Structures are given as C-alpha cells and as structure tokens.
Amino acid sequence: MREMVRETALRKTDLMLPLFAVDGTDIREEIPSMPGTYHLSLDELRREVETVSKLGIRSVLLFGIPAHKDEMSSEAYAAEGIVQQAVRAVKEVNPDLLVVTDVCLCQYNPLGHCGIVRDGKIVNDDSLELIARTALSHAAAGADVVAPSDMMDGRVASIRELLDKNDFDDVPVLSYSVKYASAFYGPFREAAHSAPSFGDRRTYQMDPGNVREAMREAESDLAEGADMLMVKPALAYMDIIRALSDRYDVPLVAYNVSGEYSMVKAAAQRGWIDERAIVLEMLTGFKRAGADIVITYHAKDVARWLDEANEL
Ligand code: PBG
C-alpha cells in the first residue's frame, strides 16, 4: 500500500549521466575524488555507452577535456574537438541515446574562466560569439540538446539565433540558468582541469544567498528562448528548485554536482552511511522539490537499484 500511495517515484527516464571524454586510446582513468567516474578515451566511451544503454539510461551529458588549451578556446568549437568527436562516437553506438553537451569555455583556455578574459576581467559580450559557435559545432556533430553552463548574460539568445540561422531550429537549449558560485564544484574542476587560474567565478555565477535573482535569471533565459531550466547545485538549493517549478511551466533539471557525489562516496567508503538508501532518498527529494530530470554521477547505480527494486 505504501508504494501504491507514493507521491513521488524515481524512474530511469529521470536520469542524465555526465561523461568525460579525453583524447587518446585505452584510457579509463578513475577521477580520484569521484570514485566510479572516469576519464574515457573515445574507444572506452563507446564501451561505456553500451553499458549505459543496457542499463536503460536514456540520456548523457558530455564534457570534454581537450589535449590543448589556447586563449581563444579554439578546441571548444573545432569540428574535430574532443566533445564533437565524442558526440559522433556516442551516436554511432546508440543513436537513440539523448546526447546533451555542456557548452562552456573554461576547460578550453589556460585561464580556466568560462568567458574570454581581457585585462584581468571576464568580458561578457565578446564571449557570446565563441559560446554560440561552440553550441553550433555541437549541434553540427549531432548533439540533441545544448546546455550552456558559462553564465554569461545573453548567451541563450546568441545560441538560439546562431542555431536557427544554421537550420538547427529543432535543437533545444537547456540553460544552466540558476548556477551558483559553489564550493560543491571542487571535484569537477579537478576532473575537468578547469579551475580558474586567478580569481573565482563570482562575477558571473550567482550568490548562494539569492533567490529573487534566481527568478530573474530564469525569466531572462526563457525570454531568450531556453527550452529547459537547470538549478545547480541541487542539495543545498532545493528551495530554488521548488520556487522555479512553482513559477515556470518548463521542464526543470537539477544537477546533483560533483561535490555532492564525492561526499556520499567518501562517507560510504568508510561505512558511515548506506549509499544506496542515501542516494535514492536524495534523488527522490530533488524530484519532490519539483525537478523533472536529475543529472547525477550516481545514474548507473541508480538504474541498477531501480531494476533490483522492480524484481522484488
Ligand atoms: C563548467 C562546468 C562546471 C560544472 C559543470 N560545468 C564547473 C564550474 O562552473 O566551475 C560543475 C559540475 C559538477 O561540479 O559536477 N562551467
């Protein structure tokens, strides 16, 4: 009866799994602070996509770690860049897997900022062109959805315009609308080699104390043509998920970020918590708060646990 009257249930279709692609072959290197998450060369990525597909996961979020960085972040929008190759590889293995790409510059330039830097400042408007070009190159490679995470103002409009001009009007934009300047991204930055070389991301990412600003960010992204909104991180921002889901009638995505994952893994490794129970409870919480989709490094485990639960 308890199950029959349950209000919020987790489904495999709720899950999106982030994957990290790197150059080379035969590389499957575990990220030290994120046990169970790997840097994958394209051959290993293909293998991973087979596993993921068999588990019934329906979507992945692709990140690339380029071999070279330069001031213009040129590998971010190169036709043969690491993400562009990864998109094609994933689609070759499983054309039905929804491929979402993270659109940002921080992994691709030596300064590690999400936009172009001039005289020690991140210049918003001049960054938009490169960010839009990056999104376009992902769509051209076969990405189903592009997800800008850079937090420059106006990037959704720039991306929408460039995609439409190039006949990619059917590629939706999932905007990292409400992205806080958060310490929870620490392990990711180690994983993606994208820690800023100076300063921090507070000039473009949001202040954790703000909720009205979150509404404004969401509102402007929707006005610019965003199809889905994201709140990131998830755990410390459940009220933001709830507020956005009450206010806007678009699909809402919660990003259960790297630091949230690492904390669970570390405690589980010590036997201090029950990993499975904790993860399922957290993810159910994100959904109860109003998220339709959860991006999580736990996705493979969750898919297995849901299968086990169904076999009972
Ligand atoms: C790139 C980007 C970051 C994350 C996703 N895209 C890092 C950052 O903004 O510093 C974080 C993901 C995670 O922590 O799991 N801009």
Side-chain angles (χ1 to χ4, degrees), residues 102 104 106 149 179 185 188-189 201 205 232 258 297:
D102 180 89
C104 199
C106 62
S149 68
K179 179 172 175 181
Y185 309 147
F188 173 95
R189 291 183 188 166
R201 300 211 207 290
Q205 298 182 350
K232 175 186 174 193
S258 57
Y297 304 96

Side-chain angles (χ1 to χ4, degrees), residues 133-289:
R133 275 173 68 184
T134 302
L136 175 61
S137 71
H138 293 177
D144 297 299
V145 179
V146 291
S149 68
D150 54 281
M151 287 299 277
M152 298 299 124
D153 291 333
R155 90 270 206 203
V156 174
S158 300
I159 290 172
R160 188 69 272 158
E161 192 187 328
L162 194 64
L163 288 179
D164 289 356
K165 239 190 250 162
N166 288 275
D167 290 330
F168 290 110
D169 43 296
D170 55 349
V171 172
V173 177
L174 158 55
S175 180
Y176 284 68
S177 295
V178 184
K179 179 172 175 181
Y180 287 92
S182 171
F184 283 99
Y185 309 147
F188 173 95
R189 291 183 188 166
E190 181 195 325
H193 308 297
S194 72
S197 65
F198 71 90
D200 52 45
R201 300 211 207 290
R202 287 186 298 173
T203 61
Y204 44 104
Q205 298 182 350
M206 284 184 38
D207 188 323
N210 292 357
V211 57
R212 287 185 301 183
E213 187 187 9
M215 298 300 131
R216 232 174 42 238
E217 288 282 3
E219 183 129 8
S220 64
D221 279 0
L222 288 172
E224 290 177 31
D227 301 279
M228 298 183 236
L229 300 178
M230 188 196 298
V231 174
K232 175 186 174 193
L235 213 46
Y237 300 90
M238 301 262 258
D239 57 325
I240 310 293
I241 298 174
R242 166 51 54 204
L244 280 172
S245 109
D246 282 346
R247 184 119 141 211
Y248 300 109
D249 296 323
V250 292
L252 187 57
V253 181
Y255 198 146
N256 175 214
V257 301
S258 57
E260 299 171 339
Y261 176 83
S262 300
M263 292 192 307
V264 169
K265 284 289 179 186
Q269 278 181 352
R270 293 178 185 203
W272 289 349
I273 56 167
D274 176 345
E275 180 176 0
R276 173 185 163 140
I278 290 268
V279 171
L280 292 175
E281 188 173 331
M282 275 176 20
L283 266 53
T284 302
F286 303 146
K287 288 214 66 192
R288 194 194 60 244

